[in-house]
Amino acid sequence: STIVGLNAGFSLTTGADNTFVGEESGFAVTTGADNTYFGANSGSNGSASTGSNNTGIGSAALYVNTTGANNTAVGYAALTANTTAAGNTALGKDSLRTNTTGAQNTAVGNASLELNTTGSYNVGLGDFALYNNTTADNNTAVGKQALRATTTGPANVAVGPSAGLSVTTGGNNVMVGTT
């Protein structure tokens, strides 16, 4: 393992092939392997973190990850609340910020899927895409603010800036264009 920074990798016991760069990056990782954390407090607050194959770049990225594996978080507070969820990709400030156990989500753009907690298999591409989604699964939003108001509505597809902006709980909709 490569460790650089005040208290970086502080709890590491048997974890191998990790890279922690930044103050308290990887602080709570104990046995997790093949993790890469760059930025202050990235991957630092999970209780006895054993998750492996995670990449957190940016301050507080994957901050509380415990057993979640195969996650990629790039940007300030991306996937910061993630605990056990696996297979998520968050690119952009606050993307998938409140996700805890939702798996296999892809969020690209500032605040995309920011309020998601347990929803899985969602794709949000664009700033604020699927912003309010909390528990809904299988949504695809492409465009700035596409499906922004959706909270629990499943299996929607919206393509275009602000497409499906007013959909909150409805499901199985296809919307193309602007609202």
Side-chain angles (χ1 to χ4, degrees):
S1 293
T2 302
I3 301 171
V4 178
L6 179 66
N7 292 325
F10 183 83
S11 303
L12 192 63
T13 56
T14 60
D17 301 316
N18 293 295
T19 302
F20 306 137
V21 178
E23 183 176 353
E24 295 192 0
S25 63
F27 181 90
V29 175
T30 56
T31 60
D34 300 304
N35 293 297
T36 302
Y37 291 120
F38 281 90
N41 299 308
S42 58
S44 71
N45 203 29
S47 175
S49 179
T50 60
S52 294
N53 305 311
N54 293 299
T55 301
I57 300 173
S59 182
L62 282 164
Y63 182 66
V64 296
N65 194 63
T66 54
T67 60
N70 305 311
N71 293 295
T72 301
V74 178
Y76 173 81
L79 275 167
T80 196
N82 195 79
T83 54
T84 61
N88 290 298
T89 301
L91 306 175
K93 179 183 178 289
D94 297 324
S95 58
L96 280 165
R97 182 179 186 142
T98 60
N99 190 74
T100 54
T101 60
Q104 304 295 322
N105 292 297
T106 300
V108 179
N110 292 327
S112 57
L113 279 158
E114 180 173 350
L115 301 182
N116 192 75
T117 54
T118 61
S120 295
Y121 309 105
N122 294 296
V123 176
L125 305 176
D127 291 353
F128 300 100
L130 278 166
Y131 173 83
N132 285 302
N133 191 77
T134 55
T135 60
D137 299 328
N138 301 305
N139 286 300
T140 301
V142 179
K144 182 179 180 181
Q145 298 193 67
L147 290 173
R148 180 178 180 154
T150 299
T151 55
T152 59
N156 292 298
V157 176
V159 179
S162 300
L165 186 62
S166 61
V167 174
T168 56
T169 59
N172 301 301
N173 296 296
V174 175
M175 297 144 283
V176 178
T178 59
T179 300

